[in-house]
Amino acid sequence: MIDLRNVSKTFTLHNQSSAVIEVVNNVTLSVAAGECVALTGASGAGKSTLMRMIYGNYLTQAGQILIDGTDIVQAEPRDVIALRRETLGYVSQFLRVVPRVPTLDVVAEPLRAVGASASDAQALAEYLLAKLNIPQRLWSLSPTTFSGGEQQRVNIARGFAHPYPAMLLDEPTASLDAANREVVLSLIEEAKARGAAIIGIFHDEAARARVCDREIDVSQFTPGVAV
Amino acid sequence: MTPLLSVQGITKFYGQHIGCKDVGFDLYPGEVMGIVGESGSGKSTLLNCMAGHLTSDAGAVVFDTRTDGPRDTVTMSEPERRMLSRTDWAFVHQHARDGLRMGVSAGGNVGERLMAVGERHYGDIRAKATDWLGRVEIDATRVDDRPTTFSGGMQQRLQIARNLVTGPRLVFMDEPTGGLDVSVQARLLDLLRGLVRDMGLSAIIVTHDLAVVRLLADRLMVMKDGHVVEAGLTDQVLDDPQHAYSQLLVSSVLQV
């Protein structure tokens, strides 16, 4: 489902004496449907960079990144947009929304984008928000004023609203209490059971051990660190 | 799929000075394209050339018309282009006063566009105008008031209602949220996003506000000195800018 072949990435900082930073080099990995793979490695090893390259918001200099057969590296912007709408979900660490939009609409939006009716999308959004223990009195408010943990749960609800066949999870359990962490882990297990291919970054080792089938140490791809 | 708009090699000189040079891109139905750059980078010149407000020195702007398929709007006759700008195209000006008739009531401003495409029944026109005022969150009791009595944010929303009432397929916007205070801006962004999704609109938005394009645009073009220096997916250009100027632009934004 997710297939990386000889992928490399450098940053060129034109305004800082044109420094060239090699981030990851020659990455080859693949994740099958129903499998969850954890990216590991020290801070700065390139875990998040690799994830953003797969999502397409970082440009890849060399190699192929195939998601369900589409090469993100070469694809036209509109193909990437379509892929993100239908196939590839991403739960980032931070929630980014239009101010003033109610939480319920934020969560329902990915479903509306794939053509679900307003009432169906709202029903599922309500179900997910309730499951993630967001109090009902907050549903009609914008999440911009929520606490960090609440924002993260809204982000997760939004990320799991549409059953994406491929998912990227950036520290989905980072700032959650035990009960909510349990809910998120069960959502990940459900996604695996329905056949989603998942790549995740988990600093929470117990969570990683529970949901991940394999671990890939990203430092092996970091230039100058690899042995 | 046929692009809704295909812009090819648009060039405009002001005497010796370059307005914009050799700009080209395809816009597909339902896509929102942002154009950013500092003042004088040629983004408004480009927008005005595409919308037919300025005559470009070279290039083609091919629009997929409802009746005849793709047509070059630059070489199209003036009446045809006017018809297009009353029906399938809309233009939202930075200053609402430029896009509104200030001496005519709010309802009249919206109704005028309907009459321009042939509607004649007063009751229908008024009902549609009132419906649209509601959609842009202007109270129905203000339908007979002139826009001079409206706040800046209300005028901008009225301008949007006037433009969208005829169900256009392509909207050109020149700094639609410029000069509005932040809470009104957020409201307008929310409104525009909803309209894009529900009506399947395509839009080209010129702005210098990177936060606005991040929330609204699927794709982004960065302009400098009349040239496009970088183009791509909005979050890719903003998160991983490749050109020196885009990097400067993105890194110059103050964090809130």
Side-chain angles (χ1 to χ4, degrees):
Chain A
M1 192 67 202
I2 305 175
D3 211 352
L4 276 67
R5 296 177 190 165
N6 309 105
V7 166
S8 302
K9 160 99 195 137
T10 54
F11 285 114
T12 308
L13 308 176
H14 293 286
N15 300 307
Q16 293 176 49
S17 52
S18 294
V20 177
I21 301 168
E22 283 197 308
V23 201
V24 289
N25 193 9
N26 210 15
V27 183
T28 297
L29 64 89
S30 74
V31 182
E35 196 181 23
C36 179
V37 171
L39 299 180
T40 62
S43 183
K47 304 183 293 291
S48 295
T49 298
L50 195 57
M51 203 170 250
R52 288 180 188 145
M53 287 159 68
I54 299 172
Y55 196 59
N57 52 343
Y58 278 8
L59 214 61
T60 300
Q61 266 75 27
Q64 281 184 308
I65 299 177
L66 299 166
I67 312 284
D68 198 18
T70 304
D71 184 2
I72 287 272
V73 180
Q74 301 290 337
E76 291 290 319
R78 68 173 183 285
D79 296 327
V80 179
I81 293 165
L83 196 75
R84 287 179 180 181
R85 191 171 50 227
E86 312 276 343
T87 312
L88 181 62
Y90 177 39
V91 178
S92 69
Q93 289 187 67
F94 307 101
L95 183 68
R96 192 173 258 146
V97 293
V98 180
R100 221 187 66 118
V101 177
T103 299
L104 207 52
D105 293 348
V106 167
V107 176
E109 203 200 339
L111 284 164
R112 299 279 283 133
V114 293
S117 73
S119 57
D120 288 355
Q122 182 168 344
L124 189 65
E126 284 173 357
Y127 166 77
L128 282 165
L129 286 171
K131 191 167 179 169
L132 284 154
N133 303 311
I134 303 285
Q136 192 168 356
R137 63 192 155 79
L138 299 180
W139 293 359
S140 59
L141 307 176
S142 164
T144 41
T145 52
F146 289 9
S147 77
E150 283 166 345
Q151 289 198 3
Q152 193 181 15
R153 278 178 278 147
V154 172
N155 213 10
I156 289 167
R158 180 184 160 87
F160 281 86
H162 173 64
Y164 298 102
M167 296 186 79
L168 306 170
L169 309 175
D170 195 349
E171 297 220 40
T173 57
S175 49
L176 300 183
D177 58 38
N180 286 311
R181 174 175 167 276
E182 182 58 36
V183 176
V184 174
L185 293 179
S186 70
L187 278 173
I188 297 173
E189 284 167 343
E190 280 169 29
K192 279 174 68 179
R194 67 168 164 78
I198 300 174
I199 294 183
I201 299 173
F202 299 90
H203 283 300
D204 175 351
E205 280 180 35
R208 195 194 306 161
R210 181 168 144 194
V211 296
C212 296
D213 304 297
R214 276 190 292 144
E215 291 185 9
I216 293 175
D217 186 353
V218 176
S219 12
Q220 64 182 305
F221 309 120
T222 318
V225 178
V227 278
Chain B
M1 195 175 9
T2 321
L4 183 68
L5 189 77
S6 177
V7 177
Q8 297 151 9
I10 285 292
T11 301
K12 171 80 185 168
F13 282 94
Y14 297 109
Q16 289 291 308
H17 183 75
I18 296 175
C20 61
K21 188 141 197 290
D22 205 17
V23 180
F25 64 90
D26 287 341
L27 186 76
Y28 287 82
E31 270 186 346
V32 178
M33 164 91 117
I35 303 176
V36 296
E38 62 201 355
S39 315
S41 60
K43 50 194 200 306
S44 292
T45 297
L46 174 65
L47 194 74
N48 283 311
C49 283
M50 291 189 291
H53 297 174
L54 281 174
T55 314
S56 50
D57 296 320
V61 178
V62 179
F63 181 72
D64 187 16
T65 59
R66 287 187 214 226
T67 44
D68 305 320
R71 296 274 314 274
D72 183 5
T73 61
V74 174
T75 54
M76 192 180 256
S77 72
E78 186 60 34
E80 281 181 295
R81 193 161 50 231
R82 275 170 186 244
M83 193 60 200
L84 205 57
S85 64
R86 280 205 295 263
T87 53
D88 271 355
W89 286 8
F91 196 102
V92 176
H93 294 264
Q94 177 175 6
H95 303 291
R97 287 166 173 272
D98 297 338
L100 290 173
R101 295 228 285 145
M102 300 305 282
V104 174
S105 71
N109 263 288
V110 180
E112 191 181 39
R113 254 189 78 111
L114 289 169
M115 289 178 66
V117 296
E119 294 234 19
R120 288 296 178 265
H121 188 280
Y122 177 80
D124 289 351
I125 293 173
R126 189 174 169 91
K128 265 196 192 168
T130 312
D131 171 48
W132 267 94
L133 290 184
R135 289 206 217 182
V136 297
E137 304 177 21
I138 294 174
D139 198 277
T141 57
R142 304 296 300 270
V143 65
D144 295 316
D145 294 345
R146 291 185 183 182
T148 40
T149 66
F150 286 7
S151 71
M154 283 170 78
Q155 289 181 0
Q156 194 58 290
R157 280 180 275 136
L158 178 62
Q159 192 195 182
I160 289 173
R162 173 184 161 94
N163 270 286
L164 297 183
V165 67
T166 49
R169 292 191 293 154
L170 176 62
V171 187
F172 299 100
M173 297 193 211
D174 193 1
E175 303 271 8
T177 59
L180 299 179
D181 75 57
V182 192
S183 66
V184 179
Q185 235 186 58
R187 207 160 152 174
L188 204 63
L189 284 178
D190 176 26
L191 172 76
L192 287 173
R193 248 171 92 115
L195 292 171
V196 165
R197 189 190 59 215
D198 298 337
M199 298 175 64
L201 281 180
S202 300
I204 300 176
I205 298 177
V206 162
T207 179
H208 56 250
D209 189 335
L210 297 182
V212 167
V213 287
R214 182 175 300 263
L215 293 172
L216 219 49
D218 305 308
R219 290 164 58 194
L220 189 59
M221 274 191 344
V222 182
M223 290 189 73
K224 181 173 173 28
D225 301 333
H227 297 266
V228 174
V229 294
E230 189 166 348
L233 273 178
T234 301
D235 57 6
Q236 184 259 301
V237 175
L238 294 180
D239 292 342
D240 187 16
Q242 304 294 309
H243 189 275
Y245 177 69
S246 329
Q247 291 186 354
L248 184 68
L249 201 67
V250 172
S251 64
S252 306
V253 175
L254 300 173
Q255 299 288 326
V256 187

